[in-house]
Amino acid sequence: MDLFTVVVTVAAVLAGAIASVSGFGIGSVLTPVLSTQFDVRLAIAMVSLPHLAGTFVRFLLVRTHIDREVLLGFGAASAIGGLSGAALQGIVQSSALAIIFGLLLVFAGLGSLTGFTQRMRFSGRRSALVGGALSGLLGGLVGNQGGIRAAALLGFDVQREAFVATATAVALIVDGARIPVYLATQGADLAAHWALIGLLAVGAVGGTLLGARALRGMNDAIFRRVVGVLLLVLGAYTLARASS
C-alpha cells in the first residue's frame, strides 16, 4: 500500500466521522484529496460511491429522526436544484460563483457560532422550497452540495438528530440520481480503480460508525458550534481555492 492510498483511506475515515456529526463532509474532504492524483471530474465520480456507502449506513442509524415536513419541501427542492446545477456546471463556470459560495458558508458558520441562525428562522413550505432549490442549485454549480445544504438547514428549527437525519436523507436522494449518470459516462474509469474505491467505502463506513457515537454525546449547543466551525473551514478553503 503506497503513501497516497494510506492518506486517502485515513481521509475517508475522517470524512465519514465528520459527516455523521454534521450531515456533510465525505465529498468535501475526499474530493480535494483524490484531485491531487486524478482529474477533478473523475475524482467526484469516484467519491460518489464511498459517499453512497457512508450515507446509506448513516441513514440506517438516524432514519427515525427524519423531519418529514422539511424533507418533503426542502429536501426535494434541494435534490432537483442540485441536479440542475450539476447539469449546468460545464456551461456556467465562474470563480465568482465559488467566492459567493465560500462567503455564504463563512456567513452560515459565523451565524451558527454566534447564535444568529437560531434567531433567523425559516418556516413554511414556501421557504423550504425556495431555500432548498437555491442551495441545491448553487451547490450543484460549484460541485459541493453538502456544505451549502447544511448551511441552509441551520435556518430551520430542527434538533441535531433531525438535522443530520434530514440532511442524510436528502444526500441519499441526490446520490441515487447522480450515480447512474457517473456509471454511464465514466464507468470504465471507475472500474479501473475499483479496489481503491472499495477501500474508501470501507473507510467511510467505519468513520460513520465512529462519528455516530460522538453525535450521541453532544448537546444542541455543542453540535451547532461544531457545525459552525466545519462550515467556516469549508468556506475558507473554498475562498482560498477560488482565489488561487
Side-chain angles (χ1 to χ4, degrees):
M1 185 179 292
D2 59 27
L3 178 61
F4 173 74
T5 302
V6 173
V7 170
V8 78
T9 301
V10 172
V13 175
L14 178 63
I18 290 172
S20 275
V21 174
S22 65
F24 72 96
I26 295 179
S28 304
V29 173
L30 274 183
T31 302
V33 178
L34 281 177
S35 296
T36 63
Q37 297 289 326
F38 302 99
D39 175 77
V40 174
R41 292 186 181 277
L42 178 57
I44 292 172
M46 290 173 68
V47 170
S48 69
L49 297 171
H51 187 280
L52 174 64
T55 302
F56 181 70
V57 170
R58 190 165 74 248
F59 174 78
L60 294 178
L61 294 173
V62 300
R63 65 187 185 280
T64 57
H65 298 288
I66 291 173
D67 187 313
R68 287 180 171 79
E69 183 178 352
V70 175
L71 176 63
L72 292 175
F74 178 92
S78 178
I80 294 170
L83 291 173
S84 300
L88 294 171
Q89 192 179 38
I91 302 172
V92 184
Q93 289 187 334
S94 170
S95 59
L97 278 175
I99 291 172
I100 293 171
F101 179 87
L103 289 173
L104 286 173
L105 290 177
V106 169
F107 173 77
L110 290 173
S112 182
L113 290 172
T114 60
F116 177 73
T117 53
Q118 289 180 284
R119 298 190 294 271
M120 185 189 68
R121 290 299 189 191
F122 301 134
S123 61
R125 187 171 181 80
R126 179 177 297 180
S127 296
L129 291 172
V130 173
L134 290 178
S135 62
L137 179 64
L138 181 57
L141 284 170
V142 178
N144 191 326
Q145 297 181 35
I148 196 67
R149 182 168 57 237
L153 275 174
L154 283 172
F156 291 87
D157 188 17
V158 293
Q159 301 300 311
R160 66 184 186 282
E161 294 92 347
F163 179 98
V164 174
T166 306
T168 298
V170 176
L172 203 57
I173 293 171
V174 174
D175 278 347
R178 66 175 179 154
I179 286 177
V181 177
Y182 294 148
L183 292 176
T185 58
Q186 302 182 73
D189 291 330
L190 292 174
H193 301 290
W194 66 269
L196 178 59
I197 293 172
L199 185 61
L200 296 182
V202 172
V205 169
T208 296
L209 296 174
L210 291 173
R213 296 183 64 182
L215 179 64
R216 288 194 294 269
M218 291 183 185
N219 58 37
D220 285 336
I222 294 176
F223 168 77
R224 289 188 172 273
R225 291 192 188 98
V226 170
V227 173
V229 169
L230 291 174
L231 289 173
L232 275 175
V233 171
L234 180 57
Y237 169 77
T238 303
L239 290 172
R241 190 174 65 173
S243 60
S244 62

